[in-house]
Amino acid sequence: MIFDTHCHLNDEKLLPRVDEVIKEAKEAGITRFLCVGWDKESSLNAIKLAEQYDEVYAAIGFHPENIFDVQDGDYEELAKYIDHPKVVAVGEIGLDFYWHKDPVERELQKEWFIKQILFANEHQKPIVIHARDANQETINILKEYTPKHGGVMHCYSGSVEMLKDVQKLGLFIGLDGPVTFKNAKTPKEVAEEVDINMLVVETDSPYLTPHPLRGTINEPKNLVLVVDEISNLKNMSKKHLLDVLYQNSNKLFNLK
Ligand code: NI
């Protein structure tokens, strides 16, 4: 049993054939999916999929790249769904300094990040964190506004040293496709060093397709490639690794 803790079944590249995508993933052993939103519409679509499929859960929130397009009332409208039984996290939220260099935009991202952390705390939900070219700033905010119900550093791109900070905050590390890339030194080191009890796996599909399928649209079924690579890097039996990952994922999202 494998939990894809971060996928975008609600993305236009997957949504039109979601039935087949889920079926093929289940055949490959992926039994649970967290479908993650990035704005109001995608979050509402994540909830719809979670209502439609038993094995799909939803995360709702505003991604740092998408906060600039939020319309009046969007936040309030989405917030109403936080206590929906299949909504298990707030996300993805965070900072993206790769695409946004302007200090005013970065300030706005920080405000939205903090607002959504506090919202998750108020509603007893974990958070799904996106941090790109902003790992230290993200950690700084998390230290000041600590998530009270845990969360995950999705597609962790920080250093091995920074794992200590993440562990102190009680957060999980999400690893995905890059760990399989031939030239990806840091993700491989992180996979080797990270405490197995703080690790979860994810595809971020349709993005971050693992080696050797790079160049194709990623799908949850490809998660097995990520698991295989981590099992090799950690020199750990696949069965043991899968058991621990599945337990970690359910603990992260408060599922049985
Ligand atoms: Ni994502």
Side-chain angles (χ1 to χ4, degrees):
M1 292 193 289
I2 311 177
F3 199 141
D4 186 350
T5 60
H6 192 117
C7 57
H8 300 289
L9 298 169
N10 47 353
D11 186 281
E12 60 184 11
K13 290 197 183 76
L14 299 178
L15 195 54
R17 41 183 293 270
V18 71
D19 220 54
E20 188 189 338
V21 169
I22 291 177
K23 184 170 166 279
E24 289 180 8
K26 283 167 80 176
E27 282 163 9
I30 291 79
T31 51
R32 283 186 169 175
F33 309 81
L34 181 72
C35 181
V36 182
W38 57 89
D39 61 6
K40 186 186 86 174
E41 195 193 341
S42 58
S43 296
L44 292 176
N45 279 334
I47 296 173
K48 267 190 214 154
L49 289 169
E51 286 174 341
Q52 218 175 326
Y53 298 93
D54 275 353
E55 43 295 89
V56 175
Y57 298 85
I60 62 173
F62 295 88
H63 186 290
E65 274 177 63
N66 299 95
I67 55 164
F68 306 101
D69 307 317
V70 177
Q71 306 289 314
D72 275 355
D74 280 359
Y75 177 82
E76 291 74 14
E77 194 185 331
L78 189 58
K80 286 188 211 152
Y81 291 88
I82 190 66
D83 295 316
H84 185 290
K86 295 295 289 287
V87 172
V88 297
V90 171
E92 49 189 295
I93 62 175
L95 303 176
D96 196 311
F97 288 0
Y98 179 82
W99 293 110
H100 297 276
K101 317 260 185 234
D102 175 355
V104 177
E105 290 181 355
R106 289 180 171 186
E107 226 20 71
L108 196 64
Q109 289 189 342
K110 286 183 187 171
E111 280 173 31
W112 272 84
F113 186 26
I114 293 166
K115 170 160 104 166
Q116 294 183 94
I117 296 169
L118 298 176
F119 177 66
N121 284 350
E122 189 189 331
H123 293 273
Q124 288 101 45
K125 301 283 182 200
I127 59 174
V128 177
I129 303 152
H130 171 104
R132 189 165 184 203
D133 281 4
N135 282 305
Q136 193 56 56
E137 291 86 348
T138 301
I139 293 289
N140 293 347
I141 288 181
L142 291 167
K143 280 181 178 165
E144 198 175 341
Y145 303 89
T146 306
K148 288 194 187 135
H149 301 274
V152 53
M153 296 286 285
H154 142 65
C155 191
Y156 180 70
S157 60
S159 62
V160 168
E161 292 72 39
M162 197 176 271
L163 288 171
K164 287 194 199 87
D165 285 321
V166 178
Q167 190 159 31
K168 262 192 216 149
L169 288 161
L171 301 173
F172 285 90
I173 292 290
L175 289 180
D176 32 31
V179 90
T180 67
F181 298 174
K182 292 277 175 224
N183 57 357
K185 199 167 156 267
T186 307
K188 286 186 199 293
E189 278 172 12
V190 166
E192 282 169 14
E193 297 299 327
V194 65
D195 178 347
I196 181 75
N197 294 308
M198 60 184 287
L199 183 63
V200 295
V201 286
E202 47 178 54
T203 54
D204 203 17
S205 47
Y207 310 105
L208 301 180
T209 311
H211 174 79
L213 303 174
R214 289 180 83 175
T216 66
I217 292 172
N218 198 13
E219 291 187 27
K221 68 178 174 188
N222 298 334
L223 191 53
V224 288
L225 294 167
V226 175
V227 171
D228 285 347
E229 181 66 16
I230 295 173
S231 154
N232 288 337
L233 288 165
K234 280 203 153 326
N235 202 3
M236 181 179 284
S237 85
K238 210 169 134 183
K239 172 158 190 333
H240 180 58
L241 177 64
L242 287 180
D243 283 348
V244 179
L245 289 175
Y246 201 66
Q247 281 172 25
N248 291 348
S249 312
N250 288 321
K251 188 173 159 202
L252 164 59
F253 300 122
N254 295 303
L255 296 169
K256 291 222 173 81

